[in-house]
Coordinates of all heavy atoms in Angstrom, one line a residue:
M1 N 174.2 65.6 -14.5 CA 173.7 64.8 -13.4 C 173.5 65.6 -12.2 O 174.3 66.4 -11.7 CB 174.8 63.7 -13.2 CG 174.4 62.7 -12.1 SD 175.7 61.4 -11.8 CE 176.0 60.7 -13.4
D2 N 172.3 65.4 -11.6 CA 172.0 66.2 -10.4 C 172.4 65.5 -9.1 O 172.9 64.4 -9.1 CB 170.5 66.6 -10.3 CG 169.6 65.4 -10.1 OD1 170.1 64.3 -9.7 OD2 168.4 65.6 -10.2
L3 N 172.3 66.2 -8.0 CA 172.8 65.7 -6.7 C 172.1 64.3 -6.3 O 172.8 63.4 -5.9 CB 172.5 66.7 -5.6 CG 173.1 66.4 -4.2 CD1 174.6 66.2 -4.3 CD2 172.7 67.5 -3.2
D4 N 170.8 64.2 -6.6 CA 170.1 62.9 -6.3 C 170.7 61.7 -7.0 O 170.9 60.7 -6.5 CB 168.6 63.0 -6.6 CG 167.9 63.9 -5.6 OD1 168.4 64.1 -4.5 OD2 166.8 64.4 -6.0
E5 N 171.0 62.0 -8.3 CA 171.5 60.9 -9.2 C 172.9 60.5 -8.7 O 173.3 59.4 -8.6 CB 171.5 61.3 -10.6 CG 170.2 61.5 -11.2 CD 170.2 62.0 -12.6 OE1 171.3 62.2 -13.2 OE2 169.1 62.3 -13.1
L6 N 173.7 61.5 -8.4 CA 175.1 61.3 -8.0 C 175.1 60.6 -6.7 O 175.8 59.6 -6.5 CB 175.9 62.6 -7.9 CG 177.3 62.5 -7.5 CD1 178.1 61.8 -8.5 CD2 177.9 63.9 -7.3
N7 N 174.3 61.0 -5.7 CA 174.2 60.4 -4.4 C 173.8 58.9 -4.6 O 174.4 58.1 -3.9 CB 173.2 61.2 -3.5 CG 173.3 60.8 -2.1 OD1 174.3 60.2 -1.6 ND2 172.2 61.0 -1.4
F8 N 172.8 58.7 -5.4 CA 172.3 57.3 -5.6 C 173.4 56.4 -6.2 O 173.7 55.3 -5.7 CB 171.1 57.3 -6.5 CG 170.7 55.9 -7.0 CD1 170.1 55.0 -6.2 CD2 171.0 55.6 -8.3 CE1 169.8 53.8 -6.6 CE2 170.7 54.3 -8.8 CZ 170.1 53.4 -7.9
E9 N 174.1 57.0 -7.2 CA 175.1 56.2 -7.9 C 176.3 55.9 -6.9 O 176.8 54.8 -6.9 CB 175.6 56.9 -9.1 CG 174.6 57.0 -10.2 CD 174.2 55.7 -10.8 OE1 175.0 54.7 -10.8 OE2 173.0 55.6 -11.2
E10 N 176.7 56.9 -6.1 CA 177.8 56.7 -5.2 C 177.4 55.6 -4.1 O 178.2 54.8 -3.8 CB 178.1 58.0 -4.5 CG 178.9 59.0 -5.3 CD 179.2 60.3 -4.6 OE1 178.6 60.5 -3.5 OE2 180.0 61.0 -5.1
Q11 N 176.2 55.8 -3.6 CA 175.7 54.8 -2.6 C 175.7 53.4 -3.1 O 176.1 52.5 -2.5 CB 174.4 55.3 -2.0 CG 174.5 56.5 -1.1 CD 173.2 56.9 -0.6 OE1 172.2 56.2 -0.7 NE2 173.1 58.1 -0.1
F12 N 175.1 53.3 -4.3 CA 174.9 51.9 -4.8 C 176.3 51.3 -5.2 O 176.5 50.1 -5.0 CB 174.0 51.9 -6.1 CG 173.7 50.5 -6.5 CD1 172.7 49.8 -5.9 CD2 174.4 49.9 -7.6 CE1 172.4 48.5 -6.2 CE2 174.0 48.6 -7.9 CZ 173.1 47.9 -7.3
T13 N 177.2 52.1 -5.7 CA 178.6 51.7 -6.0 C 179.2 51.1 -4.7 O 179.9 50.1 -4.7 CB 179.4 52.8 -6.6 OG1 178.8 53.2 -7.8 CG2 180.8 52.3 -6.9
L14 N 179.1 51.8 -3.6 CA 179.7 51.4 -2.4 C 179.1 50.0 -1.9 O 179.8 49.1 -1.5 CB 179.5 52.4 -1.2 CG 180.3 53.7 -1.4 CD1 179.9 54.7 -0.3 CD2 181.8 53.4 -1.3
V15 N 177.8 49.9 -2.0 CA 177.2 48.6 -1.6 C 177.6 47.5 -2.6 O 177.9 46.4 -2.1 CB 175.6 48.8 -1.7 CG1 174.9 47.5 -1.5 CG2 175.2 49.8 -0.6
A16 N 177.7 47.8 -3.9 CA 178.1 46.8 -4.8 C 179.5 46.3 -4.6 O 179.8 45.2 -4.7 CB 177.9 47.3 -6.3
E17 N 180.4 47.3 -4.3 CA 181.8 46.9 -4.0 C 181.9 46.0 -2.8 O 182.6 45.1 -2.8 CB 182.6 48.2 -3.8 CG 182.9 48.9 -5.1 CD 183.5 50.3 -4.9 OE1 183.7 50.7 -3.8 OE2 183.9 50.9 -6.0
F18 N 181.1 46.4 -1.7 CA 181.1 45.5 -0.5 C 180.6 44.1 -0.9 O 181.2 43.1 -0.5 CB 180.2 46.2 0.5 CG 180.0 45.3 1.7 CD1 181.1 45.2 2.7 CD2 178.8 44.7 2.0 CE1 180.9 44.4 3.8 CE2 178.6 43.9 3.1 CZ 179.7 43.7 4.0
F19 N 179.5 44.1 -1.6 CA 178.9 42.8 -2.1 C 180.0 41.9 -2.8 O 180.1 40.8 -2.5 CB 177.7 43.1 -2.9 CG 177.1 41.9 -3.5 CD1 176.2 41.1 -2.8 CD2 177.3 41.6 -4.9 CE1 175.6 40.0 -3.3 CE2 176.7 40.4 -5.4 CZ 175.8 39.7 -4.7
L20 N 180.7 42.6 -3.8 CA 181.7 41.8 -4.5 C 182.8 41.3 -3.7 O 183.4 40.2 -3.9 CB 182.2 42.7 -5.7 CG 181.2 42.9 -6.8 CD1 181.7 43.9 -7.8 CD2 180.7 41.6 -7.5
R21 N 183.3 42.2 -2.7 CA 184.3 41.7 -1.8 C 183.9 40.5 -1.0 O 184.7 39.6 -0.8 CB 184.7 42.9 -0.8 CG 185.7 43.9 -1.4 CD 186.3 44.8 -0.4 NE 185.4 45.4 0.5 CZ 184.8 46.6 0.3 NH1 185.1 47.3 -0.8 NH2 184.0 47.1 1.2
C22 N 182.7 40.5 -0.5 CA 182.1 39.4 0.2 C 182.1 38.1 -0.6 O 182.5 37.0 -0.2 CB 180.7 39.7 0.8 SG 180.7 40.9 2.1
K23 N 181.7 38.3 -1.9 CA 181.6 37.2 -2.8 C 183.0 36.6 -3.1 O 183.2 35.4 -3.1 CB 181.0 37.7 -4.1 CG 180.5 36.6 -5.0 CD 179.6 37.2 -6.1 CE 179.0 36.1 -6.9 NZ 178.1 36.6 -8.0
E24 N 184.0 37.5 -3.3 CA 185.4 37.1 -3.5 C 185.9 36.3 -2.3 O 186.8 35.4 -2.5 CB 186.3 38.3 -3.8 CG 186.1 38.9 -5.2 CD 186.8 40.2 -5.4 OE1 187.5 40.7 -4.4 OE2 186.7 40.8 -6.5
Q25 N 185.5 36.7 -1.1 CA 186.0 36.0 0.1 C 185.3 34.7 0.4 O 185.5 34.0 1.3 CB 185.8 36.9 1.3 CG 186.6 38.2 1.3 CD 186.2 39.2 2.4 OE1 185.3 38.9 3.2 NE2 186.9 40.3 2.4
G26 N 184.4 34.3 -0.6 CA 183.7 33.0 -0.5 C 182.5 33.0 0.4 O 182.0 32.0 0.7
K27 N 182.0 34.2 0.8 CA 180.8 34.3 1.7 C 179.6 34.0 0.8 O 179.6 34.3 -0.4 CB 180.7 35.6 2.4 CG 181.9 35.9 3.3 CD 181.7 37.2 4.0 CE 182.9 37.4 4.9 NZ 182.9 38.8 5.5
D28 N 178.6 33.4 1.4 CA 177.4 33.1 0.7 C 176.6 34.4 0.5 O 176.0 35.0 1.5 CB 176.5 32.1 1.5 CG 175.3 31.7 0.7 OD1 175.2 31.9 -0.5 OD2 174.4 31.2 1.4
V29 N 176.5 34.9 -0.7 CA 175.8 36.1 -0.9 C 174.6 36.0 -1.8 O 173.9 36.9 -2.2 CB 176.8 37.2 -1.6 CG1 177.8 37.6 -0.6 CG2 177.4 36.6 -2.9
A30 N 174.2 34.7 -2.1 CA 173.1 34.4 -2.9 C 171.8 35.1 -2.4 O 171.0 35.7 -3.2 CB 172.9 32.9 -3.1
K31 N 171.6 35.1 -1.1 CA 170.4 35.6 -0.6 C 170.3 37.1 -0.7 O 169.3 37.8 -0.6 CB 170.2 35.2 0.9 CG 171.3 35.7 1.8 CD 171.0 35.1 3.2 CE 172.2 35.4 4.1 NZ 172.1 34.8 5.4
Y32 N 171.5 37.8 -0.9 CA 171.5 39.2 -1.0 C 171.4 39.7 -2.5 O 171.1 40.8 -2.7 CB 172.8 39.8 -0.4 CG 173.0 39.4 1.1 CD1 174.0 38.5 1.5 CD2 172.1 40.0 2.0 CE1 174.1 38.2 2.8 CE2 172.2 39.7 3.3 CZ 173.2 38.8 3.8 OH 173.3 38.5 5.1
E33 N 171.7 38.8 -3.4 CA 171.7 39.2 -4.8 C 170.3 39.7 -5.2 O 170.1 40.8 -5.8 CB 172.1 38.0 -5.7 CG 173.6 37.8 -5.7 CD 174.0 36.6 -6.5 OE1 173.5 35.5 -6.4 OE2 174.9 36.9 -7.4
K34 N 169.2 39.0 -4.8 CA 167.9 39.4 -5.1 C 167.5 40.7 -4.4 O 167.0 41.6 -5.0 CB 166.9 38.3 -4.7 CG 165.5 38.7 -5.1 CD 164.4 37.6 -4.8 CE 163.1 38.1 -5.2 NZ 162.0 37.3 -4.6
A35 N 167.9 40.9 -3.2 CA 167.7 42.1 -2.4 C 168.4 43.3 -3.1 O 167.8 44.4 -3.2 CB 168.1 41.9 -1.0
M36 N 169.6 43.1 -3.5 CA 170.3 44.2 -4.2 C 169.7 44.6 -5.5 O 169.6 45.8 -5.8 CB 171.8 43.8 -4.4 CG 172.7 43.9 -3.2 SD 174.4 43.8 -3.6 CE 174.6 45.2 -4.7
T37 N 169.2 43.6 -6.2 CA 168.5 43.9 -7.5 C 167.3 44.7 -7.2 O 167.0 45.7 -7.9 CB 168.2 42.6 -8.2 OG1 169.4 41.9 -8.5 CG2 167.5 42.9 -9.5
E38 N 166.5 44.2 -6.2 CA 165.3 44.9 -5.9 C 165.5 46.3 -5.3 O 164.8 47.3 -5.7 CB 164.5 44.1 -4.8 CG 163.9 42.9 -5.4 CD 163.2 42.0 -4.4 OE1 163.2 42.3 -3.2 OE2 162.7 40.9 -4.8
L39 N 166.6 46.5 -4.5 CA 166.9 47.8 -4.0 C 167.3 48.7 -5.2 O 166.9 49.9 -5.2 CB 168.1 47.7 -3.0 CG 168.7 49.0 -2.6 CD1 167.7 49.8 -1.7 CD2 170.0 48.7 -1.8
Y40 N 168.1 48.2 -6.1 CA 168.5 49.0 -7.2 C 167.3 49.5 -8.0 O 167.2 50.6 -8.4 CB 169.5 48.3 -8.1 CG 169.9 49.1 -9.3 CD1 170.9 50.1 -9.2 CD2 169.3 48.9 -10.5 CE1 171.2 50.9 -10.3 CE2 169.6 49.6 -11.7 CZ 170.6 50.6 -11.5 OH 170.9 51.4 -12.6
L41 N 166.4 48.5 -8.3 CA 165.3 48.9 -9.2 C 164.4 49.9 -8.4 O 163.9 50.8 -9.1 CB 164.5 47.6 -9.5 CG 165.2 46.6 -10.4 CD1 164.4 45.3 -10.6 CD2 165.5 47.2 -11.8
Y42 N 164.2 49.7 -7.1 CA 163.3 50.6 -6.4 C 164.0 52.0 -6.4 O 163.3 53.0 -6.6 CB 163.2 50.1 -4.9 CG 162.5 51.1 -4.0 CD1 161.1 51.2 -4.1 CD2 163.2 51.9 -3.2 CE1 160.4 52.1 -3.3 CE2 162.6 52.8 -2.4 CZ 161.2 52.9 -2.4 OH 160.5 53.8 -1.6
A43 N 165.2 52.1 -6.0 CA 165.9 53.4 -6.0 C 165.9 54.1 -7.3 O 165.7 55.3 -7.4 CB 167.3 53.2 -5.4
N44 N 166.2 53.3 -8.4 CA 166.2 53.9 -9.7 C 164.8 54.4 -10.1 O 164.7 55.4 -10.7 CB 166.7 52.8 -10.7 CG 167.1 53.5 -12.0 OD1 167.8 54.5 -12.0 ND2 166.7 52.9 -13.1
N45 N 163.8 53.6 -9.7 CA 162.4 54.0 -10.0 C 162.1 55.3 -9.3 O 161.5 56.3 -9.9 CB 161.4 52.9 -9.6 CG 160.0 53.3 -9.9 OD1 159.7 53.8 -11.0 ND2 159.1 53.0 -9.0
Q46 N 162.5 55.4 -8.0 CA 162.3 56.7 -7.3 C 163.0 57.9 -7.9 O 162.4 58.9 -8.0 CB 162.8 56.5 -5.8 CG 162.0 55.5 -5.0 CD 160.5 55.9 -4.9 OE1 160.2 57.0 -4.5 NE2 159.6 54.9 -5.2
R47 N 164.2 57.6 -8.3 CA 165.0 58.7 -9.0 C 164.3 59.2 -10.3 O 164.2 60.4 -10.5 CB 166.4 58.2 -9.3 CG 167.3 59.2 -9.9 CD 168.7 58.6 -10.2 NE 168.7 57.5 -11.1 CZ 168.7 57.5 -12.4 NH1 168.7 58.7 -13.0 NH2 168.7 56.4 -13.1
L48 N 163.8 58.2 -11.1 CA 163.1 58.6 -12.3 C 161.8 59.3 -12.0 O 161.5 60.2 -12.7 CB 162.8 57.3 -13.1 CG 164.1 56.6 -13.7 CD1 163.7 55.3 -14.4 CD2 164.8 57.6 -14.7
Q49 N 161.1 58.9 -11.0 CA 159.9 59.6 -10.6 C 160.1 61.0 -10.2 O 159.4 61.9 -10.6 CB 159.1 58.8 -9.5 CG 158.4 57.6 -9.9 CD 157.6 57.0 -8.8 OE1 157.9 57.3 -7.6 NE2 156.8 56.1 -9.1
R50 N 161.2 61.2 -9.4 CA 161.6 62.6 -9.0 C 161.9 63.4 -10.3 O 161.5 64.6 -10.4 CB 162.8 62.6 -8.1 CG 162.4 62.2 -6.7 CD 163.5 62.5 -5.7 NE 164.8 61.8 -6.0 CZ 165.1 60.6 -5.6 NH1 164.3 59.9 -4.9 NH2 166.3 60.1 -6.0
K51 N 162.6 62.8 -11.2 CA 162.9 63.6 -12.4 C 161.7 63.9 -13.2 O 161.5 65.0 -13.7 CB 163.9 62.7 -13.3 CG 164.3 63.5 -14.6 CD 165.2 62.6 -15.4 CE 165.7 63.3 -16.7 NZ 164.9 64.3 -17.2
L52 N 160.7 63.0 -13.3 CA 159.5 63.2 -14.0 C 158.7 64.4 -13.4 O 158.2 65.3 -14.0 CB 158.6 62.0 -14.1 CG 159.1 60.9 -15.1 CD1 158.2 59.7 -15.0 CD2 159.0 61.4 -16.5
Y53 N 158.6 64.3 -12.0 CA 157.9 65.3 -11.3 C 158.6 66.7 -11.5 O 157.9 67.7 -11.6 CB 157.8 65.0 -9.8 CG 156.9 63.8 -9.5 CD1 157.2 62.9 -8.5 CD2 155.7 63.6 -10.2 CE1 156.4 61.9 -8.2 CE2 154.9 62.6 -9.9 CZ 155.2 61.7 -8.9 OH 154.4 60.6 -8.6
R54 N 159.9 66.7 -11.4 CA 160.6 68.0 -11.6 C 160.4 68.5 -13.0 O 160.1 69.7 -13.2 CB 162.1 67.7 -11.3 CG 163.0 68.9 -11.3 CD 164.4 68.7 -10.8 NE 165.0 67.5 -11.5 CZ 165.4 66.4 -11.0 NH1 165.2 66.2 -9.7 NH2 165.9 65.4 -11.7
D55 N 160.5 67.6 -14.0 CA 160.3 68.1 -15.4 C 158.8 68.6 -15.6 O 158.6 69.6 -16.2 CB 160.5 66.9 -16.4 CG 162.0 66.6 -16.5 OD1 162.8 67.3 -15.9 OD2 162.3 65.5 -17.1
K56 N 157.9 67.9 -15.0 CA 156.5 68.4 -15.1 C 156.3 69.7 -14.4 O 155.6 70.6 -14.9 CB 155.5 67.3 -14.4 CG 154.1 67.6 -14.7 CD 153.8 67.4 -16.2 CE 152.4 67.3 -16.5 NZ 152.1 67.3 -17.9
F57 N 157.0 69.9 -13.2 CA 156.9 71.2 -12.5 C 157.4 72.3 -13.4 O 156.8 73.4 -13.5 CB 157.7 71.1 -11.2 CG 157.9 72.4 -10.5 CD1 156.8 72.9 -9.8 CD2 159.1 73.1 -10.6 CE1 157.0 74.1 -9.1 CE2 159.2 74.3 -9.9 CZ 158.2 74.8 -9.2
Y58 N 158.6 72.1 -14.1 CA 159.1 73.1 -14.9 C 158.2 73.4 -16.1 O 158.1 74.5 -16.6 CB 160.5 72.8 -15.4 CG 161.6 72.8 -14.3 CD1 162.5 71.8 -14.1 CD2 161.6 73.9 -13.4 CE1 163.4 71.8 -13.1 CE2 162.5 73.9 -12.3 CZ 163.4 72.9 -12.2 OH 164.3 73.0 -11.2
Q59 N 157.6 72.4 -16.6 CA 156.7 72.5 -17.8 C 155.5 73.4 -17.4 O 155.1 74.3 -18.1 CB 156.2 71.1 -18.2 CG 155.3 71.2 -19.4 CD 154.8 69.8 -19.8 OE1 154.9 68.8 -19.1 NE2 154.3 69.7 -21.0
I60 N 155.0 73.1 -16.2 CA 153.8 73.9 -15.7 C 154.2 75.4 -15.4 O 153.5 76.3 -15.8 CB 153.3 73.3 -14.4 CG1 152.6 72.0 -14.8 CG2 152.3 74.2 -13.7 CD1 152.2 71.1 -13.6
Q61 N 155.5 75.6 -14.9 CA 155.9 76.9 -14.7 C 156.0 77.7 -16.1 O 155.6 78.8 -16.2 CB 157.3 76.9 -14.1 CG 157.3 76.8 -12.6 CD 158.7 77.0 -12.0 OE1 159.7 76.6 -12.6 NE2 158.8 77.5 -10.8
D62 N 156.5 77.0 -17.1 CA 156.6 77.6 -18.4 C 155.2 78.0 -19.0 O 155.0 79.0 -19.5 CB 157.3 76.7 -19.4 CG 158.8 76.6 -19.1 OD1 159.4 77.4 -18.4 OD2 159.4 75.6 -19.6
I63 N 154.3 77.1 -18.8 CA 152.9 77.3 -19.2 C 152.3 78.5 -18.5 O 151.7 79.4 -19.1 CB 152.0 76.1 -19.0 CG1 152.4 75.0 -20.0 CG2 150.5 76.4 -19.2 CD1 151.8 73.6 -19.8
N64 N 152.6 78.6 -17.2 CA 152.1 79.7 -16.4 C 152.7 81.0 -16.8 O 152.0 82.1 -16.9 CB 152.3 79.5 -14.9 CG 151.4 78.5 -14.3 OD1 150.4 78.2 -14.8 ND2 151.8 77.9 -13.1
K65 N 154.0 81.0 -17.2 CA 154.6 82.2 -17.7 C 154.0 82.7 -19.0 O 153.7 83.9 -19.2 CB 156.1 82.0 -17.8 CG 156.9 82.0 -16.5 CD 158.3 81.7 -16.8 CE 159.1 81.4 -15.5 NZ 160.5 81.0 -15.7
D66 N 153.8 81.7 -19.9 CA 153.2 82.0 -21.2 C 151.8 82.6 -21.0 O 151.4 83.5 -21.7 CB 153.1 80.8 -22.1 CG 154.5 80.3 -22.6 OD1 155.4 81.1 -22.5 OD2 154.6 79.2 -23.1
N67 N 151.0 82.0 -20.1 CA 149.6 82.5 -19.9 C 149.7 83.9 -19.3 O 148.8 84.7 -19.6 CB 148.9 81.5 -19.0 CG 148.5 80.2 -19.7 OD1 148.4 80.2 -20.9 ND2 148.2 79.2 -18.9
E68 N 150.6 84.1 -18.4 CA 150.7 85.5 -17.8 C 151.0 86.5 -18.9 O 150.5 87.6 -18.9 CB 151.8 85.5 -16.8 CG 151.9 86.8 -16.0 CD 150.7 87.1 -15.1 OE1 150.0 86.1 -14.6 OE2 150.4 88.3 -15.0
K69 N 151.9 86.1 -19.8 CA 152.3 87.1 -20.9 C 151.0 87.3 -21.8 O 150.8 88.4 -22.2 CB 153.4 86.5 -21.8 CG 154.7 86.5 -21.1 CD 155.8 85.9 -22.0 CE 157.1 85.8 -21.3 NZ 158.1 85.0 -22.0
R70 N 150.3 86.3 -22.1 CA 149.1 86.4 -22.9 C 148.1 87.3 -22.2 O 147.4 88.1 -22.9 CB 148.5 85.0 -23.2 CG 149.2 84.2 -24.2 CD 148.5 82.9 -24.5 NE 149.3 82.1 -25.4 CZ 149.7 80.9 -25.2 NH1 149.3 80.2 -24.1 NH2 150.4 80.2 -26.1
L71 N 147.9 87.1 -20.9 CA 147.0 87.9 -20.2 C 147.4 89.4 -20.2 O 146.5 90.3 -20.4 CB 146.9 87.4 -18.7 CG 146.0 88.2 -17.8 CD1 144.6 88.1 -18.3 CD2 146.1 87.7 -16.4
Q72 N 148.7 89.7 -20.1 CA 149.1 91.0 -20.1 C 148.9 91.7 -21.5 O 148.5 92.8 -21.6 CB 150.6 91.1 -19.8 CG 150.9 90.9 -18.3 CD 152.4 90.8 -18.1 OE1 153.3 90.9 -19.0 NE2 152.8 90.6 -16.8
I73 N 149.1 90.9 -22.6 CA 148.8 91.4 -23.9 C 147.3 91.7 -24.1 O 147.0 92.7 -24.6 CB 149.3 90.3 -25.0 CG1 150.8 90.3 -25.0 CG2 148.8 90.7 -26.4 CD1 151.4 89.1 -25.8
L74 N 146.5 90.8 -23.6 CA 145.0 91.0 -23.7 C 144.6 92.2 -22.9 O 143.7 92.9 -23.3 CB 144.3 89.7 -23.3 CG 144.4 88.5 -24.3 CD1 143.8 87.3 -23.7 CD2 143.8 88.9 -25.6
E75 N 145.2 92.4 -21.7 CA 144.8 93.5 -20.9 C 145.2 94.8 -21.6 O 144.5 95.8 -21.5 CB 145.4 93.4 -19.5 CG 144.8 92.4 -18.6 CD 145.5 92.2 -17.3 OE1 146.6 92.6 -17.1 OE2 144.8 91.7 -16.4
K76 N 146.3 94.8 -22.2 CA 146.8 96.0 -23.0 C 145.9 96.3 -24.2 O 145.5 97.4 -24.4 CB 148.2 95.9 -23.4 CG 149.3 96.0 -22.4 CD 150.7 95.9 -22.9 CE 151.7 95.9 -21.8 NZ 153.0 95.7 -22.3
K77 N 145.5 95.2 -24.8 CA 144.7 95.3 -26.0 C 143.3 95.8 -25.7 O 142.7 96.6 -26.4 CB 144.7 94.0 -26.8 CG 144.1 94.1 -28.2 CD 144.3 92.8 -28.9 CE 143.8 92.9 -30.3 NZ 144.0 91.7 -31.1
F78 N 142.7 95.1 -24.7 CA 141.3 95.3 -24.4 C 141.0 96.1 -23.1 O 139.9 96.4 -22.8 CB 140.5 94.0 -24.4 CG 140.5 93.3 -25.6 CD1 141.3 92.1 -25.8 CD2 139.8 93.7 -26.7 CE1 141.3 91.4 -27.0 CE2 139.8 93.0 -27.9 CZ 140.6 91.8 -28.1
G79 N 142.0 96.4 -22.4 CA 141.9 97.1 -21.1 C 141.5 96.1 -20.0 O 141.1 95.0 -20.3
S80 N 141.7 96.5 -18.8 CA 141.4 95.5 -17.7 C 140.1 95.7 -17.1 O 139.3 96.5 -17.3 CB 142.4 95.7 -16.5 OG 143.0 96.9 -16.4

C-alpha cells in the first residue's frame, strides 16, 4: 500500500468514525450519507486513476529501456 492509499484510508476512517458517533448520538445524518458516499467514490476513483497513471508511466519506462537496448545492439551490429 502506498502513501496515497494509506492517507486516503486514514482520512476516510476518521470521517466515518465521526459520522457514526453523530449517528449514535441521535443527530440527523441522513443528508450526509449521500455526500459521504459520493466523497468516497470520488476519492477512490482519484486514487485508482493515480495508480493507473503510475503503472502506465512504469510501463512506458520499461518500453523505453528495451528500445534503448535494441538500439545499442543494432548500432553495434551495423555501426552508427
Side-chain angles (χ1 to χ4, degrees):
M1 184 179 304
D2 68 12
L3 185 59
D4 289 337
E5 292 173 5
L6 182 63
N7 191 24
F8 167 74
E9 293 297 329
E10 285 178 349
Q11 290 179 12
F12 190 79
T13 299
L14 291 173
V15 171
E17 288 171 354
F18 173 76
F19 175 80
L20 291 174
R21 278 196 307 272
C22 289
K23 197 171 187 176
E24 287 171 358
Q25 294 171 3
K27 295 180 181 174
D28 183 19
V29 292
K31 61 184 175 184
Y32 301 112
E33 286 180 306
K34 182 178 180 195
M36 279 194 60
T37 300
E38 289 174 359
L39 172 66
Y40 177 81
L41 293 174
Y42 173 79
N44 197 43
N45 185 42
Q46 294 299 312
R47 182 179 59 83
L48 291 173
Q49 282 182 346
R50 282 191 303 273
K51 182 181 180 337
L52 286 173
Y53 290 142
R54 188 173 48 245
D55 291 349
K56 191 65 169 175
F57 172 76
Y58 291 134
Q59 182 183 18
I60 289 170
Q61 276 188 328
D62 291 343
I63 290 170
N64 286 341
K65 287 177 188 175
D66 289 345
N67 286 340
E68 187 64 33
K69 288 177 186 175
R70 288 184 182 126
L71 179 61
Q72 288 174 358
I73 291 170
L74 289 173
E75 285 177 343
K76 285 180 183 177
K77 188 172 185 179
F78 298 109
S80 24

